[in-house]
Amino acid sequence: MPKVKKNAIAEKIVSKKAIKKMRIEKPKDEPLVLQTLRGMKDILPEDQAYWEQVRRVSERLARDYGFSRIDVPLLEFANLFTRNIGGGTDIVEKEMYAFVTRGGDKVALRPEMTAGICRSFIQHGMHTLAKPVKLFSIGPVYRYDRPQEGRYREHYQANFDAFGEDDPILDAQIIQMAHRLAHCLGLRAIQIQVNSIGCAVCKKDYNNLLVNYLESKKTKLCQDCKRRLEINPLRVLDCKEDKCSQVAATAPQAVDHLCDDCRVHFKTLLEYLDELDLPYTINPRLVRGLDYYTKTVFEIWSGSEEGKKASLGGGGRYDKLIKMMGGEDTPAIGFAIGVERMIFEMKRVQAKSYKPMKPRVFLAQLGSLAKKKSLRLFSDLEKNGILTAESFGRGSLKSQLKIANRLGVELTLILGQKETLDGTVIIKNMTTGVQETVSMERLVDIIKKKLKTDNVVIYHNHDHDELIG
Ligand code: AMP
């Protein structure tokens, strides 16, 4: 494999010559490494209860707030991200998984979701839909960052974007929704940080002011920030290095240099947030470095001491992005939560996870004829919404009853040679041990009655409503 030059932006990452070489090179006899790549993880069945809870709560809130589901590809043309997220941002400069395809296209795994969703919005003419157009997505994003606790190279985001409305009431509703999402996942000590970084007009004036200030303190900045000063000075404000934080503490603040329109927009937003009684603070150093943000930016954090290390989610307005990409001028706002970070917090505070339904019936079979018939019987029970466990591979009744006991089912159905020939089934009550023989035709009705009907349906419409307190 040719060596890929680190830190080069996506479009320059692999030369044509290197691609050709890659194609003709014979596969080497490399040892099989049976491990996930660094910074990536399997989500195993035992972790799924939390994941399912996040998925279900996100989907439920998306529905309640009028968002439609959208899924866009993981892979897009690399310049969708390099042009729109912006040079000088870590995720474009250092962290893109970018490569050239066999057909010569420069592509990248999405490092965030908004750019792809905006591409889709324009491609499918969604500006003609009734506004605001609200889109929800959940899935993985990829950043070639240094893996550490809470920072993966593949992580999942639940992402919400709303297009076509510039009124700050939408900003307030989106922030409330982010807060509600955390609340519904069982996180109670949530803090919201908000800021306004202004529009294209005031952002430019403020940028000049900031650059002048930072130039005067250049010697006190870390190496990265010296570089950022040239390409993305706003990023200096949220650098984690101590010496840069000290410089940032006395830097001019965007909120003090907003144009009239942006000032009124921000002030109105704060009034709405007050009205909603949301626990917010203004953080004048919150900039969210991506180039496309304008006006409102916000993040949500765990309010507890242990949880203060990393943000749980964030977002903001990007009023000019659709136009910049070649679409109709369409204001927009969005946010994403990091699923892994939410789950980390949920586990830490012992929040509720999703409880899948457990089977209350076990189907046991004895003898080859009964075994054959039990396949169809299982399918009939499933079609009638009766969640049933089985152990078809086992022959002895004793071992099957042992499993039924372990699963804690209420009823075990026993189908033997005699029952199969008679068209009957034995129902054993696992609590009392009482057995009765019933006809196959009446079996479903009798089981439903015994289990008090409603509870046995696997997929019922109110499933989601039970999630949220
Ligand atoms: P961002 O797109 O950077 O604003 O990220 C949105 C949310 O995703 C953050 O608030 C985090 O919760 C989460 N997140 C960002 N980067 C990572 C990462 N490398 N690993 C895990 N979660 C992340």
Side-chain angles (χ1 to χ4, degrees), residues 339-383:
V339 177
E340 286 83 353
R341 299 231 185 125
M342 281 286 183
I343 290 177
F344 185 83
E345 267 306 285
M346 287 166 73
K347 287 184 177 168
R348 200 178 61 74
V349 303
Q350 298 181 346
K352 192 172 105 177
S353 62
Y354 180 70
K355 295 272 175 295
M357 260 197 181
K358 279 201 189 146
R360 297 166 69 193
V361 176
F362 188 90
L363 173 57
Q365 34 71 40
L366 201 62
S368 56
L369 189 59
K371 187 169 179 173
K372 215 184 263 173
K373 289 286 168 208
S374 62
L375 256 186
R376 180 178 295 277
L377 178 55
F378 177 87
S379 159
D380 288 344
L381 294 167
E382 186 276 326
K383 281 181 203 153

Side-chain angles (χ1 to χ4, degrees), residues 126-344:
M126 290 189 219
H127 64 279
T128 57
L129 302 176
K131 297 191 180 71
V133 179
K134 294 177 170 179
L135 302 173
F136 158 68
S137 199
I138 187 163
V141 300
Y142 298 85
R143 298 177 186 178
Y144 196 85
D145 199 357
R146 194 167 59 80
Q148 50 192 291
E149 196 185 345
R151 198 166 288 279
Y152 301 98
R153 287 183 173 170
E154 179 190 64
H155 76 274
Y156 281 66
Q157 295 191 349
N159 187 84
F160 301 81
D161 288 295
F163 299 89
E165 182 59 75
D166 59 11
D167 193 305
I169 195 152
L170 193 68
D171 306 37
Q173 194 188 29
I174 289 282
I175 293 173
Q176 186 211 17
M177 187 184 176
H179 181 258
R180 173 106 179 105
L181 184 51
H183 183 89
C184 290
L185 289 172
L187 310 180
R188 296 294 135 92
I190 290 295
Q191 279 189 349
I192 303 163
Q193 298 184 1
V194 287
N195 193 21
S196 175
I197 53 170
C199 62
V201 179
C202 48
K203 210 172 165 185
K204 209 160 150 195
D205 293 343
Y206 170 66
N207 232 42
N208 291 337
L209 209 68
L210 183 65
V211 169
N212 285 341
Y213 168 81
L214 294 174
E215 284 288 356
S216 72
K217 310 275 180 194
K218 196 168 177 176
T219 52
K220 296 185 178 149
L221 296 175
C222 73
Q223 281 309 320
D224 265 350
C225 280
K226 280 184 185 139
R227 210 171 35 79
R228 282 179 188 134
L229 179 51
E230 308 296 324
I231 40 179
N232 195 347
L234 269 187
R235 284 254 44 169
V236 176
L237 297 184
D238 64 0
C239 177
K240 304 286 173 291
E241 293 278 333
D242 265 356
K243 52 185 183 176
C244 302
S245 298
Q246 279 168 23
V247 172
T250 49
Q253 300 179 349
V255 272
D256 296 330
H257 300 276
L258 298 176
C259 64
D260 288 346
D261 177 42
C262 288
R263 193 176 319 114
V264 172
H265 192 276
F266 192 46
K267 185 170 161 282
T268 317
L269 165 65
L270 299 183
E271 284 166 11
Y272 288 134
L273 296 181
D274 288 334
E275 176 68 27
L276 288 166
D277 272 336
L278 286 174
Y280 76 88
T281 51
I282 299 171
N283 176 359
R285 279 164 53 192
L286 179 66
V287 291
R288 297 191 52 77
L290 312 191
D291 273 6
Y292 57 60
Y293 284 117
T294 47
K295 293 188 180 169
T296 310
V297 286
F298 71 96
E299 280 184 355
I300 57 169
W301 291 72
S302 164
S304 68
E305 270 315 310
E306 304 98 302
K308 276 196 176 128
K309 285 175 239 141
S311 73
L312 299 171
R317 271 204 169 271
Y318 47 94
D319 286 344
K320 292 293 155 207
L321 181 58
I322 294 284
K323 184 155 184 233
M324 218 171 81
M325 286 171 70
E328 295 233 332
D329 204 357
T330 310
I333 179 165
F335 79 95
I337 58 145
V339 177
E340 286 83 353
R341 299 231 185 125
M342 281 286 183
I343 290 177
F344 185 83

Side-chain angles (χ1 to χ4, degrees), residues 97-145:
Y97 277 89
F99 57 96
V100 181
T101 63
R102 286 169 181 275
D105 290 328
K106 293 165 186 161
V107 298
L109 286 172
R110 61 184 183 194
E112 53 95 65
M113 289 196 184
T114 297
I117 289 168
C118 289
R119 191 263 314 132
S120 181
F121 181 90
I122 299 169
Q123 183 179 340
H124 300 286
M126 290 189 219
H127 64 279
T128 57
L129 302 176
K131 297 191 180 71
V133 179
K134 294 177 170 179
L135 302 173
F136 158 68
S137 199
I138 187 163
V141 300
Y142 298 85
R143 298 177 186 178
Y144 196 85
D145 199 357

Side-chain angles (χ1 to χ4, degrees), residues 354-363 377-390 407 409-411 413 447-448 451 453-459:
Y354 180 70
K355 295 272 175 295
M357 260 197 181
K358 279 201 189 146
R360 297 166 69 193
V361 176
F362 188 90
L363 173 57
L377 178 55
F378 177 87
S379 159
D380 288 344
L381 294 167
E382 186 276 326
K383 281 181 203 153
N384 279 284
I386 299 168
L387 191 57
T388 307
E390 42 71 24
L407 292 174
V409 295
E410 288 153 58
L411 304 174
L413 313 180
I447 296 177
K448 282 190 175 178
L451 297 177
T453 44
D454 288 348
N455 286 340
V456 291
V457 181
I458 313 170
Y459 308 111

